[in-house]
Amino acid sequence: MIKFFRHIRQRLIKENRFSKYLLYAIGEIILVVIGILIALQINNWNEIQKDRNREQAILKSLKIDFNTNINNVNDASSSFMEAYEASVNLLEIIRNDDSIDGSEIEQLVDDIINKTKSLDIITGSIDEMLNTGSINLIRDKNLKNKLSNWSYFQTDTEDDIVIYRDYLFDFFIPSLTNKALLRNMAVPDFFEDDLNLKKIAKSNFKIDYNKTIRSVEFENEVYNNALNYMYAINSYKVFNDYLTDTLKLIESNIND
């Protein structure tokens, strides 16, 4: 009997030690798991922080480019407005019966042909963002949708400019050959001052503008050209609205 109780006691002691070792092992495993989870959490946080930093860098680059593009669009639109107003004034002269001042006609034709400025769009930051898939770093869904529509607004604007240029250079300017003294127009002001080019003297020919420009044919040509300016100005307005709205979203997502 005594031996039996001793056996039971030794067994309990062994089981108690085993339980302690088991608890210790489980504790060690739990600590390792917790350590791994903490490490993963820290790594995940670091990756998120990197993404946020990259997002901020993209937004700041976009802000610079969009501000530049807004200024360029406004500048180009203003130049087209001047050319459009010159077209309207020329149409009024064609429509009236008043005596025509040749120098005024030459000035208006000059404004129609040479006043417009090209639209220079900065696309570096947005092209890089779209081509590399970095747009997925943008968390604001409204901003992401706006940026995704970039190519539509850019292409739509450029298409109207191509239509204007094709008509102006392929049709309108050639039509002036026997209607106006193009040689008497002022040299475009976008040429550099230090080119040291020999000055071109005015023409010795005389034109009766009362006869050359007062025709249905020329009135239609000027009118169609004016319509092209209207389309371009409208496209600039739509593009400018898009740029301005998108810029506001960009700025609202930049952390100061």
Side-chain angles (χ1 to χ4, degrees):
M1 182 67 70
I2 294 173
K3 290 182 178 180
F4 174 75
F5 282 113
R6 284 179 179 175
H7 175 73
I8 296 297
R9 182 184 176 191
Q10 290 175 353
R11 186 175 178 182
L12 289 172
I13 291 172
K14 289 181 179 179
E15 288 180 355
N16 186 46
R17 287 179 180 175
F18 177 76
S19 298
K20 287 182 179 180
Y21 286 133
L22 181 60
L23 289 173
Y24 177 78
I26 293 173
E28 287 291 322
I29 293 173
I30 291 174
L31 288 175
V32 171
V33 171
I34 292 174
I36 293 173
L37 291 175
I38 292 174
L40 290 174
Q41 187 67 24
I42 292 173
N43 184 65
N44 186 51
W45 183 88
N46 287 335
E47 290 300 318
I48 291 174
Q49 193 60 37
K50 289 180 182 178
D51 287 345
R52 296 292 74 79
N53 291 337
R54 289 174 62 194
E55 179 194 35
Q56 289 298 305
I58 291 171
L59 292 174
K60 290 175 182 178
S61 295
L62 289 173
K63 177 182 177 181
I64 294 172
D65 286 357
F66 270 64
N67 270 315
T68 301
N69 287 333
I70 288 173
N71 291 332
N72 290 345
V73 169
N74 287 334
D75 193 33
S77 180
S78 295
S79 70
F80 270 72
M81 185 63 75
E82 289 186 60
Y84 171 73
E85 291 175 352
S87 300
V88 174
N89 291 336
L90 182 56
L91 285 171
E92 285 301 307
I93 291 175
I94 295 172
R95 179 173 177 270
N96 295 331
D97 295 328
D98 300 336
S99 179
I100 295 177
D101 180 358
S103 60
E104 182 181 8
I105 299 300
E106 290 156 9
Q107 180 61 58
L108 290 174
V109 171
D110 178 40
D111 290 344
I112 292 171
I113 296 175
N114 294 318
K115 276 295 181 182
T116 56
K117 297 180 180 179
S118 61
L119 176 61
D120 299 319
I121 297 297
I122 307 299
T123 64
S125 60
I126 195 163
D127 282 347
E128 181 179 1
M129 181 195 66
L130 294 174
N131 293 336
T132 61
S134 299
I135 190 173
N136 292 320
L137 294 172
I138 307 298
R139 291 170 292 171
D140 188 325
K141 292 183 179 179
N142 290 331
L143 175 56
K144 186 184 291 187
N145 289 335
K146 282 283 190 180
L147 294 172
S148 298
N149 290 328
W150 163 267
S151 60
Y152 166 77
F153 287 97
Q154 180 190 13
T155 302
D156 188 58
T157 302
E158 291 176 344
D159 286 346
D160 283 333
I161 302 306
V162 169
I163 293 172
Y164 136 75
R165 284 178 177 169
D166 287 347
Y167 184 84
L168 180 70
F169 289 101
D170 295 342
F171 188 79
F172 184 72
I173 293 178
S175 76
L176 294 170
T177 301
N178 61 352
K179 294 184 178 70
L181 296 174
L182 302 182
R183 181 173 176 171
N184 288 352
M185 296 191 305
V187 176
D189 56 11
F190 52 75
F191 287 121
E192 297 294 331
D193 295 330
D194 58 354
L195 292 178
N196 297 318
L197 298 175
K198 185 176 181 180
K199 188 176 181 180
I200 299 176
K202 291 187 178 297
S203 175
N204 284 327
F205 289 102
K206 302 297 181 183
I207 284 183
D208 185 354
Y209 284 107
N210 293 284
K211 295 180 179 179
T212 61
I213 70 169
R214 279 189 171 139
S215 68
V216 173
E217 179 186 16
F218 187 62
E219 183 179 62
N220 287 335
E221 292 167 357
V222 176
Y223 177 72
N224 285 332
N225 198 59
L227 279 180
N228 288 334
Y229 289 134
M230 292 174 67
Y231 278 110
I233 293 169
N234 184 73
S235 290
Y236 284 143
K237 173 65 169 57
V238 173
F239 194 27
N240 183 72
D241 289 345
Y242 162 76
L243 291 171
T244 302
D245 291 343
T246 306
L247 178 60
K248 289 179 181 178
L249 286 173
I250 291 172
E251 292 175 334
S252 68
N253 281 275
I254 292 178
N255 298 329
D256 295 329

